[in-house]
Amino acid sequence: MNTLEPLLAKHPFFQGLESEYLKLITGCASNIRMNAGEFLFREGEDADRFFVIREGSVKLELFSGGRGPVTIQTIPEGEIVGYSWLFPPYRWVFSGRAVTPVRLFVFDGLCLRGKCDDDPKLGYELMKRFSHVMMGRLQASRVQLLDLYQVR
Amino acid sequence: MTAVMQARLPAPARLRDPMLPSLYRLERLQWDTRDTFSMDLLPQNGADMPAFKPGQFNMVYVYGVGEIPISISGDPGRRDVLIHTTRAVGTVTRAMSEMKVGDTLGIRGPFGTAWPVDAVRKHDVVIIAGGIGLAPLRPAMYRILATREHFGRVVLLYGARTPGDVLYRRELKQWRSEFDLDVFVTVDRATGSWRGSVGLVTQLIGRAPFDPLNTVAMVCGPEVMMRFTTLELEKRGIDRNNIYISFERNMKCGVGLCGHCQFGSVFVCKEGPVLRYSQMQHLLSKWEI
Ligand SMILES: Cc1cc2nc3c(=O)[nH]c(=O)nc-3n(C[C@H](O)[C@H](O)[C@H](O)COP(=O)(O)OP(=O)(O)OC[C@H]3O[C@@H](n4cnc5c(N)ncnc54)[C@H](O)[C@@H]3O)c2cc1C
Ligand code: FES
C-alpha cells in the first residue's frame, strides 16, 4: 500500500471517498513541505497541479501595479488550493504562497484528469467535492464584495 | 408584613428619571483605528457609576447636537470608569470624536438586555464579532476571563475590513497568547506585511475548536455578516436557541416608550439589543420591516 493512502483518507476533502478511488488518486499524489514565503505556483504559469493543505496556511495573491501583491484570501489547514488545472487554458489566475511553513499533498493534474476521464464516476465524485469548495468561496467573495464594514 | 421583616428591607432606592441624562466628564479620548475612538468617562456631581451587564448600552447625549445609543465596551468588573468605543460615522459620533478632555456629555442608562455570560457556564463559548461589533462583545470577554474556570473552550473569531481597522490590537494580542483561549482574526483585504488570515469571518467557523452540541455563540456585527454567521453556526450543528445576536436599530427613548426601535414585534431597546437568534431568525432575512 502506498504510504500516502491512509493520510489522504483522513483529510477532510477526501473523507468518505471509496477506498478503490482513494487508491487510484493516491497514484497521482506526493507529499511536500514548503517554507513560509515560498510560491506553490505563480500567476500566469501552467496550472498542472492542485494542493491539499495538511498543515499551515497558504495565501492567494494577485499582483497589482502600484499596490504590489494583494492578498485575496488565505486558505487554512484542511482545505484545498487550486482549481485552474480543471479547466482550459489550465493557467494559474492567482499566485499561491505559503504564509507559514506548510505540509501539502500535491496532485498531478494531468494524471488526475486522465483518471477522471477514464472513470466518470470518480470524476463526478471529485467534481462534487470541488464544486462544494468553489461554492463556499464564491459565496464568501460575494459577501466580501459588499464591503460590510464600510460606513453605510 | 411583620415589623421585623419590614426593618430588613432596604430603603427604597431613589428612582431616577430614565429620560434624564447624568453628567459625565471626558477623562481620555484615544483613537483605536483611523475612524474609531474610545472614551473614558467619569460621573460628575459625586454620582455613583452604575453597574452594567455585558452587551448593555447607554444613550449618549452630546449637548446641542443629539443623542445616540452606544454600547458599553469596558470591563463590567470595574466601577471606576465608563468606556465607550465609537465609530465616527455621522453628526453625533463626529461631534463626540471632537470633544476634549474635561468636556461633559449626558448619559442615560445602562439599558437593554445582556449577553447571557453567567447563564452559560460549563459550555464552550464562541464569540464572533465583525468590525465595531467587537465593542459590545468586549465586556463579555472580560467577564468570561474573570471567571474562566467556569467555561469550556472559549473561542473569539473577529473579522475587520483591513489590518488597520482591527480594534483593540493590544488586547487581542494578549488574549491570543493565553493558553486557554483561541483567538482568530481575519480581514477582508490586505496588502504588504499582514501575515494573518484574509477572508470572511464566517470561514473561520468551520474549523474553530468547539463542541457544537455544547456551545453557546454570541454574535455582533453588520446584519448581513450576522446572517451568514448564523447560517454557518447552524451548519456546524449549534442549536439556534444557543445563538445570541445583538441588533442595532435607530433609537430615541431607549426605554420602550416611543416605538422608534421596533423590529417586527420587538422593541430592540428593551427586549434587545441582545436576542436569541431563534426569536429573530424570521426577521433577519427580511429586506425592510
Ligand atoms: C444598541 C446599539 C448599540 C450601539 N453601539 C454602538 C457602539 O458601541 N459603537 C458605535 O460606534 N456605534 C454603536 N451603535 C450605532 C450608533 O448608535 C450609530 O452609529 C449612531 O447612532 C450614528 O449617529 P450619527 O449621528 O453619528 O450618524 P448619523 O448622522 O445618524 O448618520 C450618518 C451616516 O452614518 C450612517 N450610519 C449611521 N449609523 C451607522 C452604523 N451603526 N454603522 C454604519 N453606518 C452608520 C448613516 O447611514 C449615515 O450615512 C449602536 C447602536 C445601537 C442601536
Ligand atoms: S427607542 Fe423608544 S421604544 Fe425603543
Side-chain angles (χ1 to χ4, degrees), chain B residues 59 250-262 267-270:
Chain B
M59 294 301 291
N250 287 336
M251 290 182 184
K252 277 258 185 287
C253 71
V255 289
L257 297 175
C258 69
H260 220 79
C261 62
Q262 194 170 352
F267 279 22
V268 174
C269 69
K270 215 169 166 168

Side-chain angles (χ1 to χ4, degrees), chain B residues 24-281:
Chain B
Y24 276 66
R25 179 182 190 271
L26 176 62
E27 295 296 317
R28 196 166 84 113
L29 187 150
Q30 177 197 310
W31 286 92
D32 300 303
T33 69
R34 161 178 66 82
D35 60 7
T36 303
F37 57 95
S38 291
M39 285 179 148
D40 290 7
L41 299 159
L42 286 186
Q44 297 300 282
N45 307 328
D48 285 338
M49 180 85 72
F52 76 95
K53 295 201 187 94
Q56 287 193 297
F57 67 94
N58 279 324
M59 294 301 291
V60 178
Y61 182 34
V62 181
Y63 290 100
V65 182
E67 192 181 42
I68 53 168
I70 298 289
S71 307
I72 307 171
S73 65
D75 182 347
R78 277 180 69 182
R79 296 286 288 278
D80 57 337
V81 64
L82 168 67
I83 304 180
H84 282 298
T85 303
T86 307
R87 188 167 181 210
V89 295
T91 315
V92 181
T93 47
R94 281 208 192 99
M96 283 170 73
S97 75
E98 285 159 10
M99 292 178 77
K100 302 274 173 288
V101 169
D103 286 352
T104 49
L105 39 71
I107 300 276
R108 294 192 291 122
F111 297 134
T113 53
W115 301 110
V117 177
D118 292 322
V120 302
R121 290 177 172 204
K122 299 204 173 83
H123 288 76
D124 290 356
V125 179
V126 56
I127 288 183
I128 309 179
I132 185 78
L134 187 56
L137 278 164
R138 188 169 67 162
M141 278 301 286
Y142 287 136
R143 179 76 194 137
I144 290 170
L145 292 178
T147 51
R148 179 66 189 88
E149 67 278 13
H150 295 299
F151 298 90
R153 301 196 77 144
V154 178
V155 183
L156 170 64
L157 310 178
Y158 176 46
R161 187 164 183 257
T162 69
D165 295 307
V166 172
L167 269 184
Y168 311 139
R169 275 176 169 260
R170 209 164 34 95
E171 263 164 326
L172 286 172
K173 231 180 185 165
Q174 188 197 325
W175 291 340
R176 222 179 175 149
S177 65
E178 311 260 337
F179 290 117
D180 53 2
L181 275 185
D182 289 290
V183 177
F184 301 95
V185 178
T186 184
V187 297
D188 274 359
R189 58 207 67 192
T191 48
S193 59
W194 176 252
R195 278 173 45 87
S197 163
V198 178
L200 280 188
V201 71
T202 48
Q203 289 171 294
L204 301 175
I205 295 170
R207 265 170 312 278
F210 56 81
D211 168 12
L213 298 179
N214 185 40
T215 294
V216 171
M218 304 179 192
V219 186
C220 187
E223 247 162 67
V224 176
M225 169 256 171
M226 294 204 289
R227 230 149 72 194
F228 281 90
T229 300
T230 46
L231 265 178
E232 237 13 80
L233 288 169
E234 282 196 271
K235 256 197 237 164
R236 237 339 262 273
I238 299 193
D239 188 303
R240 58 186 70 158
N241 283 310
N242 289 335
I243 303 175
Y244 292 82
I245 43 187
S246 181
F247 274 94
E248 275 192 16
R249 278 293 173 271
N250 287 336
M251 290 182 184
K252 277 258 185 287
C253 71
V255 289
L257 297 175
C258 69
H260 220 79
C261 62
Q262 194 170 352
F263 187 35
S265 62
V266 172
F267 279 22
V268 174
C269 69
K270 215 169 166 168
E271 292 157 80
V274 176
L275 290 150
R276 267 208 167 101
Y277 170 54
S278 52
Q279 186 187 349
M280 300 305 284
Q281 177 197 4

Side-chain angles (χ1 to χ4, degrees), chain A residues 116-127:
Chain A
C116 290
D117 288 343
D118 291 348
D119 185 343
K121 201 171 155 224
L122 167 67
Y124 178 60
E125 192 52 52
L126 281 183
M127 229 37 73

